[in-house]
């Protein structure tokens, strides 16, 4: 069964201009995703979906393929990751190529390693689940979160006000690194978070949203520690 890795890297980042190719610990950040995918040895195809010529050149030099440029429809601020995945699948289908699994990898996720991708693929392929998604545990119990109402702090879920943290179920959120999908399941729903999903828990020290330059600096510190 064939497997494809697709790295989503449009050129129009607003909050950090040119984010996908900025130097991260000495090299364009997108290279970490490409190299992890190539080194994993589990993909029949490693490609980059982009609308940007510079990103395409960097990707191809690193060993990834850019068989077509992303459409204007999937390059705007309102296009979802699912929209981009669907476009990639359909473009390959036009070329007569089908993949049983697709791994969508974000271009600003330097904590992804070849070993993580191999482990994720093994876990998903050994089950009949629809997807596998990396998640990270909230460091503080969200059940005891505070909110502002009428300029006063109140518990959002007052029933947990006196609960001990260790007695509460851990909650998780999407780590924002990659999505390993069974292609058939995705085509049926057109959604990333649908059906039976396997969690792939990762450490908070290996997760960092990168939306500001402060986020970027924190990510570099975590990466250097890792």
């Amino acid at each position: 069964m064939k497997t494809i890795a697709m790295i989503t890297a449009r050129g129009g980042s607003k909050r950090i201009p040119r984010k996908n190719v900025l130097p991260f610990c000495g090299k364009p950040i997108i290279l970490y995703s490409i190299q992890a995918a190539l080194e994993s040895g589990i993909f029949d195809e490693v490609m980059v979906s982009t609308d940007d010529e510079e990103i395409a050149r960097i990707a191809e030099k690193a060993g990834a393929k850019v068989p077509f440029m992303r459409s204007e429809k999937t390059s705007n601020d309102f296009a979802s990751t699912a929209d981009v995945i669907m476009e990639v699948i359909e473009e390959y289908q036009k070329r007569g190529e089908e993949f049983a699994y697709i791994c969508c990898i974000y271009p600003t996720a330097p904590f992804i390693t070849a070993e993580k991708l191999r482990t994720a693929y093994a876990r998903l392929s050994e089950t009949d689940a629809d997807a596998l998604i990396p998640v990270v545990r909230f460091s503080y119990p969200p059940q005891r979160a505070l909110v502002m109402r009428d300029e006063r702090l109140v518990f959002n879920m007052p029933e947990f006000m006196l609960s001990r943290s260790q007695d509460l179920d851990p909650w998780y959120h999407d780590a924002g690194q990659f999505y390993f999908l069974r292609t058939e399941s995705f085509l049926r729903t057109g959604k990333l978070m649908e059906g039976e999903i396997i969690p792939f828990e990762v450490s908070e020290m290996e997760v960092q949203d990168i939306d500001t330059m402060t986020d970027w600096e924190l990510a570099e510190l975590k990466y250097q520690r890792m």
Side-chain angles (χ1 to χ4, degrees), residues 13-133:
S13 176
K14 296 291 192 297
R15 287 174 290 192
I16 304 179
R18 309 301 297 163
K19 177 170 77 169
N20 293 328
V21 293
L22 285 182
F24 181 92
C25 291
K27 62 183 180 183
I29 194 168
I30 191 175
L31 293 186
Y32 294 88
S33 296
I34 293 173
Q35 290 167 354
L38 291 170
E39 291 170 8
S40 71
I42 60 175
F43 298 109
D44 298 282
E45 182 99 328
V46 175
M47 66 86 67
V48 172
S49 170
T50 186
D51 60 331
D52 186 274
E53 294 291 345
E54 180 187 7
I55 293 174
R57 286 194 300 272
I58 291 172
E60 290 177 328
K61 185 176 180 180
K65 295 182 180 179
V66 186
F68 49 85
M69 299 299 286
R70 190 187 297 191
S71 69
E72 184 177 345
K73 180 180 178 181
T74 58
S75 300
N76 63 47
D77 293 336
F78 303 101
S80 67
T81 298
D83 293 333
V84 179
I85 295 173
M86 188 65 75
E87 179 177 76
V88 168
I89 292 173
E90 291 174 349
E91 286 294 332
Y92 272 97
Q93 286 177 337
K94 292 176 185 177
R95 292 161 169 75
E97 294 191 71
E98 303 275 353
F99 297 93
Y101 296 93
I102 184 165
C103 185
C104 175
I105 301 174
Y106 284 143
T108 54
F111 301 104
I112 295 175
T113 64
E115 180 58 31
K116 286 178 181 177
L117 292 173
R118 284 193 291 266
T119 302
Y121 177 56
R123 289 184 188 175
L124 179 58
S125 61
E126 289 169 359
T127 73
D128 60 356
D130 300 295
L132 177 146
I133 296 175

Side-chain angles (χ1 to χ4, degrees), residues 174-192:
D174 181 356
Q177 296 183 349
F178 65 89
Y179 304 94
F180 229 123
L181 311 170
R182 201 177 295 273
T183 307
E184 181 183 11
S185 300
F186 176 76
L187 288 175
R188 186 171 61 250
T189 67
K191 298 177 181 179
L192 295 177

